């Protein structure tokens, strides 16, 4: 049954998730001003699912139960589903200009579903049924799940089992009749705090020595022994400022990241999806990464849409919208953004069914998609900064704009002086101009730059990871044969 | 009924097409060494349609007759058809490393089909039925049609009706009861000579004064009053050299362009598809251009595949294939090429039915596709030149390599000396190395560079034409609203 | 006489400069944690001048008095001086990784010196002598001067005299026998607060109607009626945090910007350098902008050096320094950075004497220099983010790393847990890794990103301003003649 | 004594240089239509030296004899000389739009001069005096010398002494009391045929096993046992066409490359500059390469000037010169071209004296210069193709334009029809338009593309060679220290 956004927020209050920030345990993290914007993003995935105009994108019929579910909990049944996933992500990017955090769960569902099928086929295990039962529970209760992959990794030159400190990769420390005990941590977890549940997956392909590290399972976010340490972001404490609004740029939405620590957490048998079958670790990683690289061809495009709109508004407000170079820069931003969208759509349209029956994206094109995402948002940001003008980083604070401290010879207040001197084209108020410039600041070098830039770079794997996949998937030998045939080489 | 490749070539011999080149009328143009490689490309569209492994891509069931036809004569019935079009084009690019010239006809069919439907709906004319009859004839006889759009244009600052010389745009010079007489020319016509038929379309949106220029029709390539003047290309005369083979790089395939002159050509009524309804000129242009911009996301990707393969072979032959920078350049070439493919696929997958029932591509994404094609092939070429090494442009001629003229003190022949000094890695012969370097030369700055570079730039409209469409289709106002909502601007 | 750095700081305390920030008047701004880092940058220009190893770069012999002066107060006497200017700026960029704010004064001195010479020559005014006297005073007392050019500008489509609110450009409101009274503001003033003095210049070329806006003069920073409103930057309040150090990335140095308001400020006659001779406004702007565009080929290169070093350290600390792609990215960063330096050096080496005798840079090459600065730092930043890895934006706060709050089952503290999980290569401590990642964060999307990115974009004129100058200086007509000669066109 | 251009051409006739092309020995190569354009380029280096307006750039006072000499034979005595070298090269690029081939000699002179000084200092050899005597002879007789470095190299994974065929690197086959006998070849030799003399240098740093390959010497171009095999270029045979002129684009000037074979050539002792002192091979290579990488910051900029001018003319002739995107593309071309010039000037201005007293360029900046040359000309070409339009590659031949074959119904000739349809803006004749488009074709994908593109890529070392040098010269360790200091890392 679909929850409303409000119900989602209330459901979080019931969790006993342990969160640390700035050296303290945060008890009411649901209402914490630094955390709340990221919750609002997740909430949007519920709100839009209630909105009739988006029902086709936001919901789907469960392949497991036939019930209507949020698309984020769906197993893709066709290339059409894959394309709708991308469109849903673009929509959410447009509505939040942020990371809305629910994709990792969806991508984990689809990767674990097909991988467990193949493990069971080989080993006669029951991971696939475990997973189906688990997913039915998620779908039925419309829950948020953090799909967690990235371990801290320690010394990158060493395999998990060769690390000085084994905890740098999540691993099994005890095997019991009723389950396992795991230890370690997952880093850079975007949606961890706002999730009801976690699905843990291995972070790299593994060898036999790494058997204890080849583990996948689910657990609640407030499981005993599990806690989270909040990462700090550019401009995070602006959210703590009184009357924070204008200076935030985007006061309602935002992202977050946390380190999720597993301090000897017990996992019962029916929540285990991989447990030592090391040769499947790589498959799970590759599939999850593939889906997640597709995702970036949707979500970041939506965020790009908002930034393009903001740059266009800034041009209007600056009185520069008629300049041919400004128009051309907006075209270039649109062109780059739509190229990303093309990649998201193409790897979806070229998808194909897995052995388990759900649909997988085209792996080569999904990697090409993500590789472009490591480049174009940076250029879009650069062009936005160009159009916005320097005022975006030199403007006084909103407090100054509202201050009634007298500063001028004729008794003008500080607020009046600010308003006077930062007035621009007659089509907007000074405050409107401030708002749009602060929004652009937020996207380019404030809190949202973390999501739009650095996450575009490293989320779903750093650029070199995609290049390795492109090399593997590019079929260079077949291309050589094409060249030989035409050049007359036998 | 599908023709074989051989039948196609024979069918050309029956035409009386008038062709001029180097100041002379070429009578047996079918066997002319400069022209033949371009015929071989078209022939490949027939050969592959006969090949069982490609039958799904290369043929389709006619929506008009239910017969099996070559896909190049097909009206797209679904987004699946649109994607198959792109895949067919990539395949042909891979097999020829050239422009295979049959796309303009296919793109014209689909654009004229839907536009005539809308003209008839408004004016009660019978252009659509004319066109259906015509296309049945084409499908039945498996003919090649040149879809011709670009007029010479004269002074670009002036509309057609304002030109000093009206002939610089094709126009109606006489209206008779049984048809019209047209005059003018179409420039840059890639497939004109190798086509059985021509479909003429206007080249720009037009106003009321340009009524006589708003004309679309079909006629045979050897119609009375029609003749063609061959364009010269880089390295064209290498094809005339005796034993031309290695130095050509691609001895079998190539492109061509011609000026097609209409010297008072009579067009009977049933071959007319637009005749004065000036406000539909723009629609026909936009739709044809849209399809044709999609096309580049297929054909040039196929050509790129061959060039990437050739660069990889050159690296092998030079003994440089282990160098990390070489591997990385091959990845980059692949990445760029697949990005183009993503654009071709995406604008297809996002297609939609026209009023007439055939499928139209997504216009924004097709323009984004072509815009990327004006950039990435140039970078792919640059990287290929980087990997190939300078020898590609400093190597002696094949004649030297084969010469038995004695030049060395020990009686070594010129051929032996060339072979000795241009030997490289032990994995290839000197001739193999020459062949692949000459192929790359041909693609980068020889005859095929015309097709892979300049045509990528200007074919289906020059870059600025796409930017104008991106601006129009990018819906910047909606993007501004997204930004306002988030920045808190009413 | 040269001041020491300490003497400089003390000298600031004697000023009564009026500064507003966050709605309040800041009395002890010298020690304010948000402002102080920017003072430390200026201080470095004094400290290095005392350092024997830098004496050749940092000092010069005054052309006016023969005394040893800080090079920042020097009139360039040769192309060698121009190159040394660039090298001095690179050095300071390397030492502060920030904007050190003293260049605007130097660039104003040289522009006003040569422009006043030409005004006097035409009008018999005594601005040049006024300026010489003033500069001797500055040189003798080793003072900091803010060269202020950019007006708020209001509606960009209108000339100064056509603005609804005339105050949006600094202008003369009263002419008295002993001087003038001016009103208006200068925006984006980087070094205003830390300067002893201000030189005001017009911001654009002007026509006769704008006579009252064509004004240049000097005044002390604490002149009656003058006050400053501080601009807020990304992450500004991190500087207010207790034990702020690691999270700042660069705890000692930083930039700032302010709005400088002239609320009917009286300027005595001997401090006036332009007063109504509107046709010289353009010359003053063009010369100042030219020098300042040169400057960016020095200072940002120095900052780039530090960022490249930081990225290399991050690679070391992450254990990724052997990866060929990482090495290649460091090469690319170096290549781009040195290309900027080439531009800075080249426009200096091609300098020439003005009528007044000081040296002017090559205007075309200086604009080319700045244009590259609007691009390459963004790519350098992107590559730094790539190498750094996502941890740069997901790491807990320094407070967490130091916390002794017990969180683990075995009594591990929060600090221990953070230290454990963010350990990497054995060659560094976790704290060292944090420090370098926070430094990169600061440069890429923190406070220093304002200086390294947005200021690179808009400082000394936005990109389009340089393009207009490149068009003007590029001598396209002469290039056409070269082409005609070779192509055989008369 | 300076020769005139005519004297130079006559002096070539006296040489018995052995040249092979298309399988034949070319006896009168001086007047051969394929070779002559490249001789005309070299001739221009003599002609301009006679022109009073260029005397300061084109000539210098010999540091050896005090006589006036052509600057191409000069040992650089200052950074001013280094900058003049670059300006001279830009001038010659502007006058020929081609490679003028004399730089390799100049760069060899300066590299061999300083390297021999250091060898002699270590070993007490007399190479330096040998070289001084030789250079005096060259200066006195104003001769052209090909500085030859690149060996065929065979299997790139193996050192010279490890090659299966030792001849793939030039080496000593016999040591006699009066001299040595050498064997091997030099590939890609641009100016070999048009040179009176050759200076041979090793192509890579060498180890002790490669002693016999560590050899440098001079010999006449028609030495016994020496011969050349001409390389074929794109569109080479157009030069053989009757009335070749318009279709050539640049009918007067061009480049060339040849393989220079040493078939047991005797070198007398006084012409030897290195003979087994293997550890100096690397120094000679690095210095020559450094000078030659500087050179590209001059010559290619001059060629770029002509191409920019041609693109601007094409825009004029097409009637597109008012379009803002065209203007912007011309600005971008200028910007890129001047960035290259900045690099050429900067590495010169930052030059320094060698132990031998002549001036060396800044090695880091010279490598940065050349690295940019491997990129920007390709983008300049792309933009030129964009502006030119497709007609550049689809135009009929000049023969067609001149043909009086009747083809039209009213008796219009082929020439008239071509002229009619390719008329454009009223400001030019059709022939003028053809000429400029053919010139652009020639630069972008005709014979001159070899020089402007591929040679920019691989001349003076392929891109990766520069990256290796940038890594070595970039002093990354010092940059790490800068970052540590600011980030607070001990």
């Amino acid at each position: 049954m679909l929850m409303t956004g409000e119900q989602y927020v209330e459901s979080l209050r019931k969790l006993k998730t342990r969160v640390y920030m700035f050296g303290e345990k945060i008890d009411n993290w649901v209402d914490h001003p630094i955390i709340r914007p990221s919750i609002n993003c997740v909430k949007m995935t519920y709100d839009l699912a209630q909105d009739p105009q988006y029902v086709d994108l936001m919901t789907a019929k469960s392949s497991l139960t036939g019930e209507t579910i949020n698309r984020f909990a769906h197993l893709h049944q066709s290339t059409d589903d894959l394309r709708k996933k991308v469109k849903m992500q673009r929509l959410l990017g447009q509505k939040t200009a942020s990371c809305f955090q629910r994709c990792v769960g969806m991508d984990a569902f689809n990767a674990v579903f097909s991988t467990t099928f193949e493990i069971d086929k080989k080993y006669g295990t029951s991971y696939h049924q475990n997973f189906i039962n688990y997913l039915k529970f998620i779908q039925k209760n419309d829950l948020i799940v953090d799909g967690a992959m990235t371990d801290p990794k320690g010394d990158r030159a060493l395999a998990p089992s060769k690390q000085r400190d084994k905890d740098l990769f999540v691993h099994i420390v005890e095997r019991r009749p009723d389950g396992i005990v795991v230890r370690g941590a997952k880093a850079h977890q975007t949606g961890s705090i706002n999730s009801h549940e976690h699905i843990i997956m291995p972070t790299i392909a593994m060898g036999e020595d790494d058997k204890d590290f080849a583990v996948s399972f689910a657990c609640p976010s407030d499981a005993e022994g599990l806690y989270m340490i909040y990462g700090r972001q550019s401009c995070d404490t602006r959210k703590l400022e009184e009357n924070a609004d204008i200076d935030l740029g985007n006061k309602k939405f935002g992202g977050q990241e946390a380190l999720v620590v597993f301090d000897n957490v017990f996992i019962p048998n029916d929540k285990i999806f991989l447990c030592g079958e090391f040769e499947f670790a790589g498959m799970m990683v590759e599939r999850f990464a593939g889906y997640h690289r597709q995702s970036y061809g949707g979500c970041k495009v939506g965020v790009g849409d908002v930034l393009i709109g903001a740059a266009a508004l800034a041009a209007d407000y600056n009185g520069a919208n008629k300049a041919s170079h400004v128009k051309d820069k907006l075209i270039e931003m649109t062109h780059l953004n739509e190229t990303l969208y093309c990649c998201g759509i193409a790897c979806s349209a070229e998808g194909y069914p897995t052995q388990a029956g759900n649909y997988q994206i085209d792996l080569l094109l999904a990697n090409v998609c993500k590789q472009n995402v490591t480049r174009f948002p940076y250029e879009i940001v650069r062009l936005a900064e160009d159009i916005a003008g320097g005022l975006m980083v030199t403007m006084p604070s909103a407090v100054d704009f509202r201050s009634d401290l007298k500063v001028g010879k004729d008794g003008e207040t500080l607020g009046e002086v600010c308003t006077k001197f930062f007035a621009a084209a007659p089509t907007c108020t000074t405050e409107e101009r401030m708002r749009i410039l602060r929004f652009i600041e937020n996207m380019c070098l404030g809190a949202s730059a973390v999501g739009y830039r650095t996450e575009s770079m490293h989320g779903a794997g750093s650029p070199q990871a995609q290049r390795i996949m492109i090399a593997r998937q590019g079929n260079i030998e077949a291309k050589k044969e094409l060249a030989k045939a035409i050049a007359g080489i036998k």
Side-chain angles (χ1 to χ4, degrees), chain A:
Chain A
M1 217 201 57
L2 298 178
M3 277 202 268
T4 65
E6 283 311 318
Q7 287 169 336
Y8 160 66
V9 175
E10 289 315 303
S11 73
L12 293 180
R13 297 191 193 283
K14 290 172 201 144
L15 295 172
K16 297 186 214 75
T17 310
R18 240 200 305 165
V19 181
Y20 299 96
M21 191 198 308
F22 292 124
E24 295 181 355
K25 182 157 177 296
I26 308 297
D27 289 323
N28 179 6
W29 49 264
V30 175
D31 299 309
H32 193 288
I34 289 187
I35 301 177
R36 187 52 181 267
S38 74
I39 296 176
N40 290 337
C41 285
V42 186
K43 178 173 176 288
M44 185 62 88
T45 70
Y46 290 93
D47 288 340
L48 294 181
Q50 305 278 342
D51 187 331
Q53 71 174 307
Y54 300 124
V55 76
D56 179 53
L57 278 190
M58 294 300 306
T59 65
K61 181 187 269 202
S62 169
S63 58
L64 302 177
T65 65
E67 299 296 311
T68 293
I69 55 172
N70 192 299
R71 183 175 293 281
F72 278 104
H74 189 45
L75 296 168
H76 315 299
Q77 298 299 306
S78 63
T79 60
D80 200 50
D81 268 355
L82 289 170
R83 288 195 300 126
K84 280 185 178 158
K85 171 191 162 183
V86 170
K87 288 169 197 275
M88 172 179 70
Q89 292 169 315
R90 184 170 185 168
L91 173 66
L92 276 152
Q94 292 176 336
K95 295 291 188 189
T96 62
S98 299
C99 173
F100 35 90
Q101 310 154 50
R102 201 169 175 177
C103 309
V104 280
M106 168 175 49
D107 294 338
F109 299 151
N110 279 279
V112 173
F113 180 78
S114 68
T115 305
T116 52
F117 182 91
E118 299 184 37
I119 307 173
D120 287 4
K121 200 169 128 189
K122 178 162 179 190
Y123 287 108
T125 42
S126 58
Y127 300 142
H128 191 60
Q129 192 55 51
N130 284 354
F131 181 73
I132 286 173
N133 294 341
Y134 177 71
L135 186 56
K136 282 182 183 167
F137 157 75
I138 296 298
Q139 289 182 344
K140 183 173 171 192
N141 294 286
D142 200 10
L143 300 180
I144 299 293
V145 179
D146 179 35
M149 181 162 274
T150 311
D151 294 89
K153 291 202 192 97
D155 188 333
R156 275 144 204 250
L158 301 176
S161 55
K162 300 291 177 294
Q163 297 286 329
R164 283 177 306 167
D165 180 351
K166 300 286 176 290
D167 294 351
L168 292 172
F169 286 79
V170 169
H171 62 292
I172 304 163
V173 288
E174 191 185 347
R175 292 170 203 261
R176 297 195 205 159
D178 54 345
I180 56 176
V181 177
V182 297
R183 193 169 170 77
K186 292 288 181 181
H188 318 309
Q189 292 308 304
T190 308
S192 52
I193 292 172
N194 311 329
S195 296
H196 306 95
E197 289 273 326
H198 277 64
I199 288 181
I200 271 53
M201 296 164 286
T203 200
I204 47 169
M206 289 178 180
E208 185 151 15
D209 290 349
D210 304 319
K211 258 178 123 158
D212 288 344
F213 301 83
V215 62
S216 175
F217 57 86
C219 73
S221 298
D222 57 358
E224 196 275 328
L226 194 159
Y227 57 92
M228 301 170 190
I229 308 174
Y230 209 79
R232 85 171 303 185
Q233 295 187 330
S234 175
C235 299
D236 45 9
T237 56
R238 268 199 205 176
K239 293 170 188 162
L240 301 176
E241 295 177 12
E242 231 172 317
N243 294 319
D245 168 7
I246 296 180
D247 286 0
L248 285 176
N250 183 346
K251 81 167 165 172
K252 193 161 175 201
F253 304 105
Q256 65 172 13
E257 271 94 11
L259 180 79
V260 180
V261 182
F262 294 85
D263 186 7
N264 289 3
V265 175
F266 173 73
I267 309 296
N269 283 332
D270 65 346
K271 295 289 174 60
I272 298 177
F273 314 133
L274 172 73
C275 189
E277 297 80 3
F278 63 88
E279 76 274 30
F280 285 94
M283 182 190 286
M284 201 179 273
V285 171
E286 195 171 288
R287 292 191 180 174
F288 173 77
Y291 284 121
H292 208 42
R293 289 169 194 178
Q294 169 207 28
S295 290
Y296 279 75
C299 63
K300 299 307 180 199
V301 178
V303 178
D305 286 332
V306 192
L307 184 53
I308 294 167
L313 278 177
D316 289 352
Y317 295 171
N318 289 341
N321 53 349
K322 297 276 192 302
S324 66
H325 75 95
V326 169
K327 285 190 227 168
D328 199 62
K329 283 162 190 164
L330 290 169
I331 290 171
E332 184 64 16
M333 294 167 84
T334 304
H335 169 67
L336 294 173
N337 203 43
E338 297 294 339
T339 299
L340 298 181
Y341 186 58
C342 283
C343 295
I345 289 296
C347 68
S348 306
E350 295 292 298
Y352 57 91
T354 67
Q355 290 183 29
N358 66 338
Y359 268 64
Q360 178 73 14
I361 46 72
D362 181 285
L363 210 46
L364 174 58
L365 302 187
N367 277 280
V368 164
C369 178
K370 175 67 212 310
Q371 182 77 184
N372 281 321
V373 175
T374 68
R375 300 175 177 182
F376 295 170
Y378 285 80
E379 180 64 6
I380 292 171
V381 157
R382 196 184 73 85
L383 291 168
E385 287 188 41
D386 183 345
I387 293 174
L391 188 57
M392 156 191 142
V393 295
T394 68
M395 225 176 356
S397 68
V399 174
D400 293 312
F401 275 85
R402 287 161 177 165
S403 166
D404 52 12
L405 183 70
K406 294 207 186 314
V407 298
K409 288 184 176 172
D410 292 334
E412 305 95 324
T413 66
L414 183 52
E416 286 165 350
V417 170
C418 288
T419 299
K420 168 192 180 77
F421 282 115
F422 296 113
T427 54
C428 71
T429 65
T430 301
E431 185 185 309
E432 285 170 340
R433 191 182 183 205
M434 276 183 68
R435 284 188 177 276
I436 211 67
L437 294 181
R438 284 290 178 210
F439 174 77
I440 298 176
E441 181 204 26
N442 176 50
M443 292 293 302
C444 294
L445 62 171
S448 294
V450 171
Y452 189 55
R453 291 173 51 208
T454 322
E455 198 185 276
S456 288
M457 180 65 81
H458 293 290
S462 300
Q464 188 62 11
Q466 289 115 52
R467 294 182 86 74
I468 290 166
M469 286 301 291
I470 291 170
R472 267 194 222 148
Q473 300 279 334
N475 204 353
I476 200 84
E477 291 308 319
K479 290 184 171 71
K480 286 182 192 173
E481 292 310 312
L482 295 172
K484 279 184 175 176
I486 288 177
I489 297 170
K490 306 288 160 359

